[in-house]
Amino acid sequence: MTQDSAHNGQTRNTPLLPHDAQSELDAKHLLDRSSDGVDMNGSVREISRKTVFEGPIFAIDDIVLDLPTTDGGTARIRRQLIRHAPCVVMLVHDVPGDRYLIEREYRVGSNRFAYGLPAGLMDAGENPEQAALRELSEETGTVPDNLSAIRFDHVGAYYSSEGMTDELANIMVIHLDRWHTEDRHFDADEHVESAWVSWRQLLDTPVTESNAIIAIQHEMLRRTKHTGDTVA
């Protein structure tokens, strides 16, 4: 079973409401009804937490939790959480040239040299925009000429995989009207290449990282609204 399987190995058949009854409820309240008695509007209580691994980028906690039930009891579960700093993911648009910035580097999760977008961890005290500009400069050497030369289109903040990690990805599209290049600054074990490509080339690039796909899809909607052509 996955981490989100039924507690105590129980199999449950969730009865569906008649169509007319469903139409009277919004989607959120349709899911208030639990088939096995768990109160999804109640508070979860942490019973114990133990850090079983701690590395330079993330840590792993083993956690025991009590879920509230509608009869006033609890259902005990155990989960492993990857604790991870929030991050930024950015699709960078060179407005005058109508080009986009892509990167390629080795990614251990997919075990390949993967294509993606500029991204990185937020440092303590940074907001998403500050972190994005720092990472953009460090990884690609791209720096806006001034604050009036940059426009942030915030897509949203989404959990990368909320079933196992608390990493929150701040996804955005950055439109650069005027910019210049400076020296890049990598960590000792970072090996990243970047390039500017056309919108058509970006769509043809085999990007598989989910947060990057969200940013690209968001920009596709904007371009469709303004040009009527998803590949213009």
Side-chain angles (χ1 to χ4, degrees):
M1 288 189 177
T2 66
Q3 283 204 1
D4 292 321
S5 298
H7 70 274
N8 298 326
Q10 297 175 357
T11 315
R12 295 161 291 167
N13 295 315
T14 304
L16 294 177
L17 293 172
H19 177 74
D20 289 345
Q22 288 187 8
S23 65
E24 297 299 321
L25 298 169
D26 60 34
K28 177 182 176 182
H29 288 97
L30 280 172
L31 298 177
D32 286 346
R33 300 167 181 257
S34 171
S35 59
D36 65 347
V38 170
D39 180 4
M40 295 189 180
N41 289 320
S43 299
V44 177
R45 186 161 63 99
E46 183 176 308
I47 303 303
S48 66
R49 179 187 294 250
K50 179 181 180 182
T51 300
V52 296
F53 171 80
E54 192 155 10
I57 303 298
F58 63 86
I60 301 176
D61 289 349
D62 188 70
I63 310 172
V64 176
L65 304 145
D66 275 352
L67 306 182
T69 56
T70 54
D71 62 3
T74 58
R76 182 155 295 186
I77 62 172
R78 180 180 177 187
R79 297 289 186 265
Q80 288 72 47
L81 172 70
I82 300 172
R83 283 191 286 110
H84 196 287
C87 68
V88 290
V89 180
M90 66 210 90
L91 176 60
V92 183
H93 181 209
D94 166 31
V95 177
D98 196 21
R99 300 178 301 167
Y100 292 86
L101 196 55
I102 62 171
E103 293 187 341
R104 193 178 189 189
E105 64 179 306
Y106 177 75
R107 291 300 196 185
V108 68
S110 56
N111 190 28
R112 65 193 182 99
F113 288 95
Y115 296 94
L117 303 180
L121 302 181
M122 292 176 60
D123 289 342
E126 284 185 323
N127 64 40
E129 292 184 0
Q130 291 169 334
L133 292 180
R134 175 183 53 76
E135 286 288 345
L136 184 61
S137 172
E138 291 176 355
E139 288 190 0
T140 73
T142 303
V143 179
D145 285 353
N146 50 58
L147 292 180
S148 65
I150 183 169
R151 287 171 284 129
F152 291 94
D153 182 2
H154 291 276
V155 181
Y158 305 106
Y159 286 102
S160 299
S161 181
E162 62 186 7
M164 63 179 181
T165 180
D166 62 358
E167 179 189 39
L168 190 64
N170 296 274
I171 304 172
M172 65 191 75
V173 181
I174 297 178
H175 300 282
L176 295 177
D177 295 317
R178 297 178 306 280
W179 55 277
H180 61 277
T181 57
E182 297 181 357
D183 291 338
R184 298 182 296 172
H185 301 280
F186 292 119
D187 293 336
D189 62 350
E190 279 189 304
H191 308 278
V192 184
E193 288 302 318
S194 58
W196 291 98
V197 299
S198 68
W199 177 246
R200 176 73 268 177
Q201 288 173 312
L202 174 64
L203 295 183
D204 289 339
T205 302
V207 176
T208 56
E209 200 275 321
S210 59
N211 292 324
I213 294 296
I214 292 172
I216 293 169
Q217 291 288 338
H218 181 85
E219 178 66 357
M220 179 181 289
L221 291 173
R222 184 195 69 83
R223 292 182 70 96
T224 302
K225 179 180 178 181
H226 285 82
T227 68
D229 186 352
T230 60
V231 296

